[in-house]
Amino acid sequence: MKDLKVIFMGTPKFSVPVLEKLLENTQVVLVVTQPDKPVGRKHVLTPSPVKKIAMENNIPVFQPEKIRKDFEQVLQTPCDILITCAYGQIIPKEILEYPRLGCINVHASLLPKYRGGAPIHWCLINGEEKTGVSIMYMAEKMDAGDIIAQEEYLILPEDNVGTLHEKLSRIGADLLIKTLPSIIAGTNNRIVQDESKVTFGYNIKREEEHVDFNDLGKNILNKIRGLNPWPMANILVNDEEYKILEADFSKKENTVPYKINEITKDAIGIECQDGIIYIKVIKPFGKKIMNVKDFLNGTKKEEIEKWQIS
């Protein structure tokens, strides 16, 4: 496969293992990634993780603002196949029809479930027991192309977005390299997606980060881990936003949602529909992430008991 000419399109950290595997096993001739973004309080212009890897390996980089309108450099780059992984923009038809072996996508879900930009978040928020990676042909419709290969992953109780992100990116990179020889030979699977089973993992909206204590405890825990470590679930405490990263749950009847039930040495217990959510790791407004035990060392119990939570 070393003589296989590949154009790679990707942007975040999730894409990096895929690019690294391609660099080891193929000839990457061009990397397409999102434009540099301002980061931090000083808005320092920062390249994407994928661009950093490309530059370290002296691979040409193309960063169009809108690939649908600016794609000529791709069409002017001789290649055999184009591979995408979390690029972040819709690929135009002109590109999809360009490589002789087609355009392949590495997607972090078991398609047709969770098409879209945040499949890892939503599989956790929805309490799925398993997820995985799909290798698929790209189509004009988002994540709707024929499936070539899939690998399942059983979600562990301790998994969150961060751990799944890391695990699925490695699974995807390995599965792609295993699958490429059959794509080159034309012997690969080509399974049409069942449209009746399609679900979506669209990008998280700001209002979806908020915790509703009128909900069931299991749903609240799923939301907290499905948003950890980014963008993080939140509550309002006296109209200030507090982020929640870790919590436990205990069943209890006759609860009053949003009421503070208990303050232990390492947790703040807030009642929900069917029990108590014990917050263990928190990011208070304007402060760093900390264990609740450390937070309680600097905050009087009487002050917390007066919290107005919404």
Side-chain angles (χ1 to χ4, degrees):
M1 287 196 305
K2 200 62 184 176
D3 59 347
L4 185 73
K5 290 183 172 62
V6 176
I7 293 176
F8 179 74
M9 302 178 71
T11 298
K13 186 179 177 182
F14 183 86
S15 312
V16 167
V18 176
L19 175 56
E20 289 176 334
K21 282 288 185 181
L22 289 171
L23 288 168
E24 291 173 13
N25 293 276
T26 70
Q27 184 181 347
V28 180
V29 293
L30 178 68
V31 165
V32 184
T33 190
Q34 297 273 42
D36 297 359
K37 302 290 185 184
V39 173
R41 292 182 179 179
K42 295 185 179 180
H43 300 287
V44 177
L45 209 57
T46 305
S48 72
V50 161
K51 181 180 178 180
K52 291 177 182 177
I53 298 299
M55 292 173 66
E56 289 170 6
N57 288 273
N58 299 312
I59 307 297
V61 176
F62 178 42
Q63 295 177 273
E65 288 286 344
K66 294 183 179 180
I67 192 70
R68 278 186 159 182
K69 296 182 178 180
D70 182 9
F71 52 78
E72 283 304 314
Q73 186 169 339
V74 173
L75 302 186
Q76 291 169 6
T77 304
C79 75
D80 299 305
I81 193 169
L82 185 145
I83 296 169
T84 71
C85 179
Y87 170 57
Q89 294 187 39
I90 300 296
I91 310 301
K93 182 179 180 180
E94 289 87 348
I95 290 178
L96 296 179
E97 295 177 344
Y98 173 56
R100 68 177 182 86
L101 294 175
C103 295
I104 308 298
N105 184 34
V106 181
H107 184 74
S109 81
L110 297 174
L111 293 168
K113 297 188 75 172
Y114 298 111
R115 294 178 181 176
I120 298 175
H121 293 80
W122 285 107
C123 77
L124 288 168
I125 291 171
N126 291 337
E128 299 284 359
E129 295 182 353
K130 67 179 180 180
T131 183
V133 175
S134 299
I135 309 296
M136 53 175 283
Y137 282 106
M138 296 183 70
E140 288 187 74
K141 189 177 177 182
M142 182 181 64
D143 298 330
D146 295 350
I147 297 166
I148 302 168
Q150 291 184 320
E151 185 168 330
E152 292 185 356
Y153 171 79
L154 296 179
I155 298 172
L156 302 175
E158 62 268 26
D159 275 324
N160 58 31
V161 167
T163 62
L164 268 190
H165 193 275
E166 180 69 23
K167 292 172 182 178
L168 293 182
S169 67
R170 299 291 174 186
I171 290 171
D174 290 340
L175 183 60
L176 174 66
I177 297 304
K178 290 178 189 175
T179 307
L180 272 177
S182 67
I183 295 173
I184 296 167
T187 58
N188 59 279
N189 292 327
R190 188 153 190 159
I191 302 166
V192 177
Q193 294 189 41
D194 185 343
E195 291 292 324
S196 69
K197 295 181 180 179
V198 170
T199 62
F200 292 94
Y202 52 82
N203 291 334
I204 302 292
K205 298 175 183 175
R206 185 74 172 90
E207 59 268 23
E208 290 167 333
E209 300 168 16
H210 192 68
V211 173
D212 180 4
F213 286 97
N214 285 305
D215 203 348
L216 296 172
K218 67 176 184 178
N219 294 339
I220 293 173
L221 289 190
N222 285 337
K223 172 170 275 194
I224 291 170
R225 71 179 186 141
L227 297 172
N228 176 13
W230 65 87
M232 293 189 279
N234 68 66
I235 60 174
L236 291 179
V237 174
N238 301 334
D239 293 327
E240 291 185 338
E241 185 178 78
Y242 278 51
K243 307 276 192 177
I244 303 172
L245 286 89
E246 293 180 20
D248 292 329
F249 171 66
S250 179
K251 277 272 191 181
K252 183 179 182 295
E253 295 181 352
N254 302 317
T255 57
V256 180
Y258 290 94
K259 176 186 175 183
I260 293 180
N261 176 281
E262 184 181 9
I263 301 171
T264 70
K265 64 179 182 180
D266 61 358
I268 298 171
I270 302 173
E271 295 186 6
C272 63
Q273 184 185 127
D274 61 341
I276 306 169
I277 297 292
Y278 287 96
I279 299 172
K280 306 296 289 289
V281 179
I282 196 170
K283 183 184 181 305
F285 179 76
K287 296 182 180 179
K288 65 180 182 179
I289 295 169
M290 63 183 78
N291 293 323
V292 165
K293 182 178 181 180
D294 295 329
F295 173 72
L296 292 173
N297 287 335
T299 308
K300 293 180 180 179
K301 184 176 179 180
E302 295 78 17
E303 292 179 11
I304 297 173
E305 290 172 340
K306 295 177 183 178
W307 275 6
Q308 295 296 313
I309 300 170
S310 59

